[in-house]
Amino acid sequence: MNTEEKTQVTMVEGTGGKYRWIAMTALFLAIGTILRLVSPSVAGVSPNWTIAMYCLVMILVRPAIPQAIGIGLVAGAIGVVSSKSIFPYANLLSEVLGAVVCAALVRSGIRFQLGKFNLQPAVLGLLTTLASGMTFVTATKLALELPMQMYLYGMIPVVLTVAAINTVITQMLYFPAHKIFAQKGEE
């Protein structure tokens, strides 16, 4: 006598389930980590792929602020182990702040467009990288008691350069990511 109940799973095309954001976050952060590890530095500067990737996640899944804090903590922990910095622990603070800034901007509903062209990825990549990067270099300066000249003329220019690079990268990666991962019914 077979007493097993049969379970029916119904898949609705284009939804992905309640925890889709977790899977997407894990995928994008893994890609960002790999790219961060293999990207060469040019004059000590390389893109912050982690920030670009979690910006894309924020745009695609629109997480709540507590979820963004979790994303930032994971990104920060990844940054601690994959950073080329002299003070990698600053990633724990800077990535949380960057993720919260990004999520808050996404959830604010502010549109960044040039005509019909969506500039939200570029603007979020720029602002998030600036928030995270400035937090990172300021925490590093304070923790290691670095001279102000090093902070002003060595660290801040790197943040500005990485922010410019991330602006372009986030915008370029948005269109294929949106095409692959956006839910049906989105614009």
Side-chain angles (χ1 to χ4, degrees):
M1 179 173 183
N2 189 357
T3 60
E4 288 182 30
E5 289 185 35
K6 293 191 178 196
T7 304
Q8 180 178 356
V9 176
T10 305
M11 297 296 289
V12 178
E13 185 179 337
T15 58
K18 182 177 179 181
Y19 298 105
R20 176 179 184 260
W21 71 272
I22 295 173
M24 286 182 63
T25 301
L27 175 65
F28 278 61
L29 289 178
I31 292 168
T33 302
I34 292 166
L35 290 172
R36 183 177 186 159
L37 291 171
V38 300
S39 290
S41 294
V42 177
V45 178
S46 60
N48 190 322
W49 293 99
T50 304
I51 294 174
M53 292 297 154
Y54 72 67
C55 282
L56 293 173
V57 167
M58 302 286 178
I59 294 167
L60 294 171
V61 302
R62 302 176 55 83
I65 298 299
Q67 293 168 325
I69 291 169
I71 292 168
L73 284 171
V74 171
I78 291 169
V80 168
V81 297
S82 66
S83 178
K84 301 166 192 166
S85 164
I86 58 173
F87 186 62
Y89 298 106
N91 282 294
L92 293 170
L93 177 62
S94 68
E95 298 303 356
V96 170
L97 184 69
V100 169
V101 165
C102 190
L105 287 169
V106 167
R107 296 185 67 77
S108 74
I110 298 171
R111 297 277 185 200
F112 301 100
Q113 291 187 209
L114 183 60
K116 291 187 177 190
F117 190 73
N118 182 4
L119 289 173
Q120 184 182 32
V123 172
L124 292 179
L126 173 67
L127 296 177
T128 301
T129 305
L130 287 173
S132 177
M134 289 305 296
T135 302
F136 182 87
V137 298
T138 301
T140 300
K141 185 227 179 295
L142 295 173
L144 301 179
E145 299 177 350
L146 298 174
M148 185 60 79
Q149 285 73 18
M150 180 182 281
Y151 176 72
L152 293 175
Y153 304 115
M155 298 168 85
I156 291 177
V158 171
V159 171
L160 297 175
T161 304
V162 172
I165 294 167
N166 272 16
T167 300
V168 174
I169 287 171
T170 308
Q171 184 69 43
M172 286 177 28
L173 293 177
Y174 169 73
F175 295 108
H178 183 266
K179 186 172 183 146
I180 293 169
F181 292 104
Q183 292 185 9
K184 300 270 186 225
E186 288 185 9
E187 53 194 279

